[in-house]
Amino acid sequence: MSTLSILYKSFSGLQSFSHSLNNLSHNVANINTPGFKGTSVHFRDMLSDQNKGGGVHYTGETLKLTQGDISRTGQDSHLAIDGKGWFVLTDGEREYFTRAGQFEFDQWQLVDKSTGYKVLGIRDGNIQNFNLNHYNISSPQSTTSIQLKGNLNAGAATGTKVPAEGEEKLEAVYFNKLGEKHTLYFSFTKKTGNEWTVAVKKSETETLATHTIKFNGNGSPHADSANLSVKIDDNQSIKLNIGQSGTFANLTGYSSANSSVAFNAEDGREAGQVKGLSFDHTGKLSVEYTNGDKQDTLHVLLANLPNDQYLTSVGNSMFVYQERSEIVYGHGGQKMFGTIKGGSIEKSNVNMSHEFSEIIIVQRGYQASSQVLSVTNKMIEELYNSARGK
């Protein structure tokens, strides 16, 4: 065995430990990188021409695809996958896969914060950009029914008015088709028997409707008063819901000390702006609006990548996948996929204690290979000096 062979083996050892240290430094540097997947390096022994030990050579790296810890961020658009699956991003030409869910909305498009790539979603089986342009406003809804509750005194004298002159007006708020808020004014006048006249006004001078309200002997609304309505204009009519005959949940006609009526619009709303966003465990986004409306939108698209050998890192905690025929798409909670944690991110899966123990091993190995190299160098120097007769 030649001394030069020993030098080569020592150099190969130094190179292998340099590869290891380079990999360890990359892992440690990304300990706080969301969605980062650490790597392990691999080496194999080599044979010389005489089929004897020829040193070591570097054979590549393998991704560690274990899940990192999930950390709560409190930002609605941040997402983490608890279990299997990858988020799918696109730059408009190709797809990228990541576990780093630091997303944000840019003009209602959900994008990756670091690259600006668009996040893909799925709705009714159709894959599309996760875009909320159709959900950024809740449409207004016109009022169709106003509920009347309270009691009109059956013992009041004929001609009694509610409200009496000087008392606070009886008002009910309603919305038109444009979501504009308006007010109706109500006044009641006692007739003979247990009957009242209700006048509905849009203003002091504009009366929209006048109806007679009758009560049964037990104080419940008479059936003849079940279908009262007010025509606001050609586009809108509002039903006055005073209750059903034989029931006492709405307006009643009991004898009492006084009359008291309250109003509640049963529907209708103004246009609403986005108030809050929330993802459920399946990755479905629900949007809450300022008008009280709530709508379900898309699911965040997940991909199942069964064969790790086709994954290639392209930086930014993203990967491309070379074998498209094996990709299965879906959303959280389905078979083959984990669940989604909203307002959270998955942290790096690098184990710091493990990396430091590996660093110590690499350091010792590098020192040992360096020592072998140093001894071999002295042997060659001694041989050189002997050859020169020194």
Side-chain angles (χ1 to χ4, degrees):
M1 178 182 294
S2 69
T3 308
L4 290 177
S5 173
I6 300 174
L7 279 177
Y8 178 80
K9 294 171 187 176
S10 298
F11 272 119
S12 71
L14 291 175
Q15 286 181 322
S16 70
F17 289 117
S18 294
H19 275 299
S20 293
L21 191 60
N22 180 62
N23 179 72
L24 289 168
S25 66
H26 181 61
N27 288 345
V28 172
N30 285 281
I31 189 70
N32 289 322
T33 302
F36 176 78
K37 300 302 176 186
T39 54
S40 299
V41 290
H42 299 285
F43 303 96
R44 292 290 184 271
D45 63 317
M46 295 189 298
L47 294 178
S48 65
D49 293 339
Q50 293 79 31
N51 289 328
K52 296 182 178 181
V56 63
H57 70 108
Y58 166 76
T59 59
E61 300 177 356
T62 298
L63 279 171
K64 299 176 182 178
L65 294 178
T66 56
Q67 181 173 313
D69 293 336
I70 294 177
S71 176
R72 180 75 180 168
T73 66
Q75 185 166 328
D76 295 331
S77 58
H78 284 177
L79 300 175
I81 305 172
D82 188 5
K84 295 181 179 180
W86 297 79
F87 297 116
V88 187
L89 312 178
T90 181
D91 60 1
E93 295 182 0
R94 69 185 308 182
E95 291 181 351
Y96 301 88
F97 304 92
T98 184
R99 296 276 296 197
Q102 277 187 313
F103 304 142
E104 63 183 9
F105 281 99
D106 181 13
Q107 296 180 351
W108 302 110
Q109 168 67 52
L110 191 62
V111 300
D112 176 66
K113 188 174 183 179
S114 61
T115 63
Y117 293 169
K118 296 178 179 179
V119 179
L120 294 182
I122 185 170
R123 185 180 178 93
D124 299 326
N126 297 315
I127 297 175
Q128 56 193 279
N129 289 340
F130 200 101
N131 193 306
L132 296 185
N133 277 334
H134 298 300
Y135 303 96
N136 60 353
I137 293 179
S138 170
S139 59
Q141 185 182 84
S142 60
T143 300
T144 63
S145 179
I146 292 178
Q147 187 178 66
L148 282 68
K149 284 194 172 187
N151 183 70
L152 291 172
N153 182 12
T158 301
T160 299
K161 294 186 179 298
V162 179
E165 186 174 349
E167 290 183 342
E168 188 176 348
K169 294 179 180 180
L170 296 178
E171 302 176 354
V173 172
Y174 74 95
F175 295 91
N176 63 16
K177 290 184 179 296
L178 298 177
E180 297 169 331
K181 184 187 292 186
H182 296 282
T183 303
L184 293 176
Y185 302 92
F186 290 77
S187 62
F188 300 86
T189 304
K190 182 67 164 60
K191 299 174 67 175
T192 58
N194 200 359
E195 296 183 8
W196 291 75
T197 297
V198 57
V200 186
K201 297 183 177 182
K202 203 170 185 179
S203 65
E204 290 290 340
T205 59
E206 186 179 359
T207 300
L208 297 176
T210 302
H211 295 289
T212 297
I213 298 177
K214 299 179 182 180
F215 294 97
N216 297 318
N218 61 3
S220 67
H222 193 279
D224 290 346
S225 304
N227 297 309
L228 309 183
S229 66
V230 178
K231 184 177 181 180
I232 305 299
D233 53 39
D234 291 338
N235 297 314
Q236 185 177 13
S237 292
I238 299 176
K239 178 185 177 182
L240 303 182
N241 183 6
I242 68 170
Q244 298 296 318
S245 179
T247 65
F248 307 92
N250 287 44
L251 197 60
T252 57
Y254 300 137
S255 291
S256 60
N258 51 39
S259 299
S260 176
V261 183
F263 305 88
N264 176 48
E266 297 187 87
D267 54 10
R269 64 181 182 230
E270 60 190 350
Q273 305 297 319
V274 175
K275 178 182 178 182
L277 305 171
S278 60
F279 287 89
D280 68 9
H281 72 283
T282 68
K284 180 174 64 179
L285 177 64
S286 294
V287 183
E288 184 180 355
Y289 300 92
T290 54
N291 62 2
D293 187 23
K294 191 173 183 179
Q295 295 188 41
D296 292 333
T297 63
L298 299 80
H299 285 87
V300 174
L301 181 67
L302 296 184
N304 185 287
L305 311 178
N307 198 331
D308 302 343
Q309 67 176 321
Y310 293 126
L311 279 170
T312 302
S313 175
V314 291
N316 290 303
S317 297
M318 296 191 305
F319 300 85
V320 293
Y321 196 69
Q322 305 301 327
E323 186 55 53
R324 292 189 56 83
S325 62
E326 294 189 359
I327 301 176
V328 179
Y329 295 99
H331 61 72
Q334 291 181 319
K335 188 177 180 180
M336 301 180 69
F337 298 102
T339 56
I340 298 296
K341 302 291 184 181
S344 305
I345 57 172
E346 180 184 346
K347 301 174 71 175
S348 167
N349 69 346
V350 175
N351 186 314
M352 184 63 79
S353 60
H354 173 76
E355 299 300 312
F356 270 111
S357 64
E358 289 294 314
I359 288 173
I360 293 172
I361 294 173
V362 168
Q363 181 183 18
R364 291 175 178 173
Y366 194 92
Q367 289 173 340
S369 291
S370 297
Q371 187 65 28
V372 172
L373 185 63
S374 177
V375 170
T376 306
N377 183 58
K378 288 180 180 179
M379 291 172 61
I380 293 175
E381 185 178 352
E382 186 69 26
L383 178 63
Y384 176 74
N385 290 334
S386 298
R388 295 181 61 186
K390 292 186 178 180

